[in-house]
């Protein structure tokens, strides 16, 4: 595959996560020379040529991974699916990325073949995000490209925009055949059957299901870190947020099913898993075992072959001492917590319906800072929420000083349909939002530079996930989710755990030198 087409594929499969436009991650993580590590909900792994999946189900470090059993290739689905090729582009958060992995797995199991360009596909699917207006607009501009040339294709809109706009998508883009929200993915096989039978308008828009989306196979894009959804939807009802509307009510997945998938992942060669949920720590096991989140973390860490367990996103209200105690007890639980604060002002937090005050949030930070080992904390901040005064914003700035984050993802407030904050008066001018975001970025830049500088000389455990084009240069993630580039004379390090001494630091990056290999026995976290 040529360099340019590989680059294009990366963009298509890795999608442009919207926060890149206006947040601190604009300048990217250390791997792309930026200010902060990648957002914990953004996939930083390797995207791969879809034709290189290892159909035997074994991990192949250079290529993508299919977990589970792959259906016999080349099954025919008649005229509608013609060749059964699909192209899938994903917008939005890690939850969407992982949903796409499951949708792709489902299509593969039905005999479809994934292709790398929309031109080569019979079926084009967009898994969409509507968290901010720009993300939703992007999807309609993609759909517009098929106004004239979509006649011989099946075009489908999945995810949040599908749920939000519903049947209206058919009015705006009559060439679309499938509109399906994430809470209806379970029914995708039936919907595909309808499309295959020639039905031109198929919808899946229920979001009152109490079930979760589990598939027999998942087409995994990242050969190093495997994602598992443990809780879907959200019951929190933050005033600005579309998620409760687009993803439906909160529903946790059974602990046995989660642990079974973790065991399958280790058989495929994964040693690092990341548990996902919009409010991952609100998890409550629906089965008779009734496990709480911290117990589940400890059990996942016990699965033979697991060396790192991550989780995101934690909601401050449900963040308790038991999670920190679990991290204290179990070194395989990573030293990183993403704990979105959104605002440092209690008045604004109330207006946002975040269910905690500034003081409550700072108590959670104190819990984490009291842990036996240093834990990296990252956060999300919304600037320019209706009614946010200069004094409120000052409180957000001072929150950065107090919390000492290792990464901040800032967003300009974007009014969204079906959200309570649409009705609020006192909008903040775009110009002021821009100024406030820039001030957050600058303050965090100074904090992060100092925090990274303080790591000089430390020896860190690194899971190596990238070989640089430059000779003897590698990079990987620390348990605190920092990306570190380092030099080593070793010939092959991909997929191994090594100890690296920090020799240099920048605002968003660390640089180091390989010290020694880590075997499973001596590895600590
Ligand atoms: N469930 C997570 C939580 O409670 O923090 C966040 C999920 S949301 C997909 C990711 C981030 O997008 C949020 O933390 C928030 O900062 C941002 N966000 C959500 N709605 C937004 C809006 N209407 N305008 C700007 N940013 C928004
Ligand atoms: Fe949205 Fe709030 Fe739920 Fe997070 S907790 S998904 S911000 S409603």
């Amino acid at each position: 595959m040529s360099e340019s087409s590989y680059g294009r594929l990366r963009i298509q499969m890795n999608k442009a996560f919207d926060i890149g436009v206006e947040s601190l991650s604009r300048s990217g993580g250390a791997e792309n020379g930026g200010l902060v590590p990648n957002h914990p909900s953004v996939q930083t792994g390797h995207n791969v040529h879809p034709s290189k999946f290892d159909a035997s189900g074994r991990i192949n470090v250079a290529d993508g991974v299919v977990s589970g059993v792959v259906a016999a290739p080349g099954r025919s689905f008649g005229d509608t699916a013609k060749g059964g090729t699909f192209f899938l582009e994903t917008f939005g958060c890690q939850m969407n990325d992982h949903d796409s992995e499951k949708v792709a797995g489902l299509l593969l199991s039905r005999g479809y073949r994934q292709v790398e360009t929309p031109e080569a596909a019979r079926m084009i699917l967009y898994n969409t995000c509507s968290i901010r207006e720009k993300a939703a607009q992007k999807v309609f501009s993609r759909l517009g490209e098929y106004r004239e040339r979509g006649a011989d294709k099946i075009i489908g809109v999945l995810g949040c925009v599908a749920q939000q706009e519903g049947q209206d998508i058919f009015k705006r883009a009559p060439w679309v055949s499938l509109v399906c929200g994430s809470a209806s993915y379970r029914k995708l096989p039936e919907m595909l059957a309808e499309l295959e039978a020639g039905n031109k308008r198929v919808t899946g828009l229920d979001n009152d299901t109490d079930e979760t989306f589990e598939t027999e196979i998942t087409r995994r894009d990242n050969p190093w870190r495997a994602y598992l959804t443990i809780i879907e939807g959200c019951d929190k009802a933050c005033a600005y947020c579309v998620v409760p509307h687009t993803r439906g009510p909160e529903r946790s997945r059974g602990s046995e099913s989660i642990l079974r998938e973790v065991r399958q992942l280790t058989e495929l060669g994964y040693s690092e898993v990341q548990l996902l949920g919009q409010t991952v720590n609100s998890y409550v096991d629906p089965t008779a075992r009734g496990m709480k989140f911290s117990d589940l973390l400890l059990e996942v860490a016990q699965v033979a072959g697991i060396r790192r367990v991550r989780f995101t996103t934690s909601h401050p209200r449900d963040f308790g001492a038991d999670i920190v105690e679990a991290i204290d007890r179990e070194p395989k639980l990573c030293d990183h917590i993403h704990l979105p604060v959104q605002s440092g002002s209690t008045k604004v937090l109330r207006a946002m319906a975040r269910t905690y005050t500034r003081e409550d949030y700072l108590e959670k930070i104190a819990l984490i800072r009291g842990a036996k080992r240093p834990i990296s904390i990252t956060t999300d901040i919304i600037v320019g929420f209706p009614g946010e005064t200069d004094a409120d914003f000052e409180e957000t700035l001072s929150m950065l000083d107090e919390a000492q984050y290792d990464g901040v993802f800032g967003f300009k407030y974007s009014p969204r349909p079906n959200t309570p904050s649409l009705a609020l008066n006192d909008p903040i001018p775009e110009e002021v939002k821009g100024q406030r975001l820039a001030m957050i970025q600058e303050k965090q830049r100074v904090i992060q530079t100092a925090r990274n500088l303080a790591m000089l000389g430390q020896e860190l455990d690194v899971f190596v996930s990238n070989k640089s084009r430059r000779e003897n240069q590698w990079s990987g993630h620390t348990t605190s989710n920092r990306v570190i580039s380092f030099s080593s004379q070793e010939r092959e390090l991909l997929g191994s755990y090594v100890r690296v001494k920090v020799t240099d630091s920048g605002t968003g990056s660390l640089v180091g030198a390989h010290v020694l290999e880590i075997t499973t026995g001596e590895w600590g976290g």
Side-chain angles (χ1 to χ4, degrees):
M1 191 177 192
S2 72
E3 198 59 37
S4 61
S5 59
Y6 183 73
R8 185 169 173 207
L9 178 70
R10 278 180 67 93
I11 293 164
Q12 285 159 348
M13 294 183 66
N14 203 18
K15 54 52 199 156
F17 187 52
D18 185 51
I19 64 166
V21 178
E22 51 186 47
S23 77
L24 285 174
S25 74
R26 168 187 213 146
S27 20
E31 271 177 331
N32 37 23
L35 187 58
V36 293
N38 286 297
H39 190 282
S41 67
V42 177
Q43 191 168 321
T44 57
H46 301 241
N47 281 312
V48 291
H49 192 299
S51 65
K52 288 185 180 172
F53 305 143
D54 182 351
S56 69
R58 291 223 324 273
I59 191 163
N60 177 337
V61 292
D63 301 333
V65 182
V66 178
S67 42
V69 181
V70 184
R75 260 174 65 196
S76 161
F77 286 98
D79 216 31
T80 317
K82 246 188 215 161
T85 48
F86 73 97
F87 170 84
L88 173 58
E89 182 174 2
T90 310
F91 300 83
C93 64
Q94 181 55 59
M95 296 282 291
N96 268 12
D97 277 336
H98 185 48
D99 283 347
S100 284
E101 290 183 330
K102 290 192 272 185
V103 168
L106 202 133
L107 286 161
L108 290 169
S109 71
R110 289 182 70 88
Y112 286 81
R113 190 165 53 84
Q114 189 164 10
V115 292
E116 60 186 272
T117 62
E119 292 75 28
R122 171 70 175 142
M123 177 153 68
I124 300 172
L125 299 175
Y126 295 111
N127 187 4
T128 60
C129 169
S130 62
I131 202 90
R132 282 167 292 278
E133 197 185 351
K134 264 185 207 153
Q137 278 168 355
K138 232 179 262 173
V139 176
F140 282 104
S141 97
R142 282 287 195 285
L143 291 178
E145 292 171 20
Y146 291 91
R147 186 185 300 273
E148 310 294 340
R149 54 196 180 99
D152 62 338
K153 310 232 183 241
I154 295 169
I155 300 187
V157 180
L158 310 178
C160 293
V161 173
Q163 192 66 47
Q164 190 172 286
E165 303 289 327
Q167 306 266 1
D168 286 353
I169 292 179
F170 295 132
K171 288 189 207 138
R172 282 179 77 169
W175 52 94
V176 168
S177 307
L178 172 68
V179 172
C180 178
S182 67
S184 300
Y185 287 161
R186 258 180 338 106
K187 296 187 194 139
L188 264 176
E190 288 100 300
M191 289 183 236
L192 288 170
E194 284 189 49
L195 288 171
E196 287 154 9
N199 196 334
K200 297 276 184 261
R201 292 267 160 99
V202 180
T203 54
L205 295 170
D206 303 339
N207 71 4
D208 57 354
T209 173
D210 55 3
E211 296 189 45
T212 51
F213 177 41
E214 296 179 35
T215 51
E216 271 183 35
I217 74 157
T218 300
R219 217 287 276 131
R220 296 185 180 276
D221 291 335
N222 187 329
W224 313 113
R225 189 181 291 183
Y227 299 90
L228 290 89
T229 308
I230 65 160
I231 174 169
E232 287 176 8
C234 181
D235 282 346
K236 294 286 188 294
C238 300
Y240 50 81
C241 184
V242 291
V243 169
H245 176 73
T246 58
R247 286 188 167 271
E250 199 171 278
R251 50 221 185 266
S252 294
R253 187 175 160 194
S255 55
E256 269 313 324
S257 157
I258 295 168
L259 290 161
R260 198 178 319 119
E261 189 174 352
V262 174
R263 286 191 289 271
Q264 281 169 357
L265 288 166
T266 59
E267 281 159 21
L268 288 165
Y270 282 103
S271 60
E272 177 173 319
V273 292
Q274 181 160 332
L275 310 183
L276 297 177
Q278 292 294 344
T279 56
V280 73
N281 57 326
S282 310
Y283 176 84
V284 180
D285 185 2
T287 69
R289 296 186 78 200
M291 293 180 89
K292 57 181 184 173
F293 179 64
S294 52
D295 294 337
L296 178 73
L297 287 177
L298 290 168
E299 279 224 23
V300 169
Q302 289 316 306
V303 172
I306 287 296
R307 292 175 74 156
R308 283 186 174 181
V309 182
R310 300 184 183 279
F311 54 91
T312 198
T313 294
S314 295
H315 190 284
R317 195 194 71 185
D318 298 336
F319 193 90
D322 57 323
I323 300 175
V324 178
E325 282 156 18
I327 295 175
D328 276 345
R329 262 174 64 189
E330 177 51 79
K332 292 177 186 173
L333 301 182
C334 286
D335 309 340
H336 173 220
I337 291 161
H338 186 62
L339 198 67
V341 64
Q342 313 298 359
S343 169
S345 148
T346 295
K347 186 196 97 190
V348 174
L349 288 171
R350 282 218 177 94
M352 289 176 164
R354 282 295 282 183
T355 69
Y356 52 86
T357 63
R358 175 189 177 94
E359 289 66 34
D360 296 335
Y361 183 86
L362 283 169
E363 276 173 26
K364 311 290 172 162
I365 296 287
L367 274 180
I368 301 169
R369 295 290 177 226
K372 290 190 181 137
R373 57 192 148 114
I375 295 177
S376 178
I377 309 175
T378 54
T379 202
D380 293 346
I381 285 174
I382 296 176
V383 296
F385 189 75
E388 182 189 68
T389 61
D390 284 344
D392 293 322
F393 178 65
E394 281 299 326
E395 290 199 73
T396 301
L397 284 176
S398 71
M399 180 60 88
L400 300 194
D401 284 324
E402 286 199 48
Q404 289 289 304
Y405 295 113
D406 287 301
V408 172
F409 298 86
F411 307 96
K412 291 192 258 181
Y413 168 70
S414 170
R416 304 305 297 127
N418 306 307
T419 58
S421 61
L422 259 191
L424 294 179
N425 290 323
D426 205 7
I428 308 297
E430 278 307 302
E431 194 191 342
V432 175
K433 288 184 196 169
Q435 287 162 356
R436 289 182 180 170
L437 190 62
M439 286 163 80
I440 295 273
Q441 287 176 329
E442 179 49 25
K443 186 169 226 2
Q444 182 60 20
R445 192 186 62 75
V446 174
I447 291 171
Q448 259 177 237
T449 308
R451 288 184 67 77
N452 284 346
L453 192 65
M455 300 193 77
L456 278 186
Q458 287 185 25
E459 288 186 10
L460 307 173
D461 293 348
V462 176
F463 182 32
V464 187
S465 56
N466 191 36
K467 180 174 177 21
S468 164
R469 285 201 198 110
R470 283 185 298 144
E471 214 180 326
N472 303 331
Q473 289 295 317
W474 307 81
S475 64
H477 287 83
T478 65
T479 160
S480 66
N481 211 28
R482 286 182 167 84
V483 176
I484 181 162
S485 313
F486 65 97
S487 56
S488 173
Q489 300 306 316
E490 295 294 325
R491 287 177 65 84
E492 187 48 76
L493 284 178
L494 281 177
S496 55
Y497 290 80
V498 299
R499 195 152 294 153
V500 174
K501 184 168 184 167
V502 181
T503 54
D504 201 0
S505 74
T507 302
S509 61
L510 296 176
V511 177
H514 183 185
V515 182
L516 52 86
E517 217 72 22
I518 306 171
T519 65
T520 313
E522 66 183 309
W523 179 78

